[in-house]
Amino acid sequence: MTVFGSLAIILGMAAVGGVLARLLKLPSVIGYIVAGMALSAVVKIPIIELMGQLGVTLLLFLVGLELPIATLKKIGSTAMVVGIGQIAITFVLGTLIATALGFAVTPAMYIGIALTFGSTVIVVNLLSAKRDLQSLYGRIAIGVLLVQDFVAIGILVVLSGLGQSGFMVGNLFWVIIKSVVLVGLTIWLSEKILPRLFDFVGKTTEVIFVVALAWCLVIAASISHPAVGFTVEIGGFLAGLALANAASNLQIISRVRPLRDFFMTWFFVALGANIALSDIGSIIWPGTILSAFVLIGKPLIVMFILGVMGYKKRVAFLAAVTVAQVSEFSLVILTLALRIGHIDAKVLSLVGFVAIVTMSVSTYLISNAQAIYRKIGKYLWIFERKAKLTDLGTKKEWKNHVVLFGHNRTGTILRPVLQKLGHEVLVVDFDPQIVESLGPQAIYGDVADYDLYDEIGLSSAVAVISTVSDMGDNLQLLEFLKKLKNKPLSIVTADDAREGEILYKRGADYVLVPHTVGGEYLAGILEHHGLSADYFRSPKMRRIFSMS
């Protein structure tokens, strides 16, 4: 078969699989894997493996670009504790389950590792579609997934350096030394040399893509040299990490991402091609057990940790559901383990089966998490502890007060004005530092947490103000307020006029559209002062705009 014929068959099958997956509202990754399985039953095409390896190299190149070291500082303590705790517990339990299913120690450990990671890509896409990325549980979930990504990259680096030598103490020590040296050199280059070079190259948009791609492949090839001893995939990651601080890194990301997606399609097709249809019968039973552990066990682990930390059952449940799948990184790790001879193809086939099942089911779970919680939430009290995070701040019984959801830029302006008018103001925010700083005037939570509504006394409030622009959360709040005997004044926030109209129809007394208000305010200034440079440059104007 010609090269073009091979390309046509592979991409044609992948396209069909991706479209069918989308029609079923499943991640396209599942369609690509199934396409590879179907393809393996018809014909063997060696080029798939090479293209898939290039896809993983570009994937890790972009991971390095989008993962500057400063990102670690932005991961909150909650995400760090939950992420590390979930990885450790899942790994131990997953390894024990795999051992009980008859796997040897090393394959069982790899299975345990593979089950620990969740898919950042799938979760971000689903939460973005639900507009929940900025919710309390959304921030926790993304933070936990970032921690998992860091750990997964560390495992890939170690495996890449070990190769076929095995987990001997001396070998592991030497790999760690080489890794530290390479990462240190990469960070030095990213701060001292490469930003200037790529900022110069970035002035020509046509050239920056070619130079960045050449840099990635040259470093990948160099790192994979026997004298260095790592794989091309890790070379791609280090090449990306070295460019993380370049001003032109956003240009590089935007241009490389479509190419990455194209070659990652090949990786998932190749993964499916490695799942022998003849093995399906032997992996269904262990695959079903491991899938059940991922779909049920992992969320329970996360709920337990969040409960111990004081989070309420709703936030714990919604955050926990997001980890109920196997990650793309899990498949990358096992593919590397297969290549260096640590596992056999059956282990990769098994985890591939688990990936298909868990990615499919978790998509449904995440999309319908709110509805599921309403049905089972009353049974989840066991995961709450008496010392809840909602105990941060207020413990008094509130009456005739104003409830202010969100102490953001708008909230910080409104609160002192309301207090000046003689109103008691109760702030509800999901930032513990804000709650602690406000003391008894604040409580920990968010507008979507309807279990909190009774605790903050909405039924006895004179006004409820939401500075959060999430449409679904505000509709939920308005629906609750409509049922009250004495409905308080309701002021909510919308992203645009269309959403504002919907909120008015659902009972809002006033809808704040920040961009519209800002435009009207600026128009009023122009009417009175024109384009007076002295007025706009006055300290008074700069103070006002810095607060808005």
Side-chain angles (χ1 to χ4, degrees), residues 390-402 423-427 439-443 454-457 460:
T390 46
D391 292 337
L392 281 176
T394 184
K395 293 183 180 179
K396 63 180 287 187
E397 183 177 348
W398 290 79
K399 288 185 178 180
N400 300 320
H401 59 298
V402 176
H423 296 290
E424 282 193 294
V425 180
L426 171 59
V427 173
Q441 296 179 330
I443 191 169
D454 290 334
E455 292 185 38
I456 59 179
S460 57

Side-chain angles (χ1 to χ4, degrees), residues 314-329:
R314 176 186 170 276
V315 172
F317 173 79
L318 295 178
V321 167
T322 62
V323 303
Q325 76 283 128
V326 169
S327 168
E328 298 87 350
F329 271 124

Side-chain angles (χ1 to χ4, degrees), residues 266-280:
W266 290 80
F267 168 74
F268 290 115
V269 172
L271 176 67
N274 282 324
I275 300 176
L277 295 179
S278 58
D279 291 337
I280 294 297

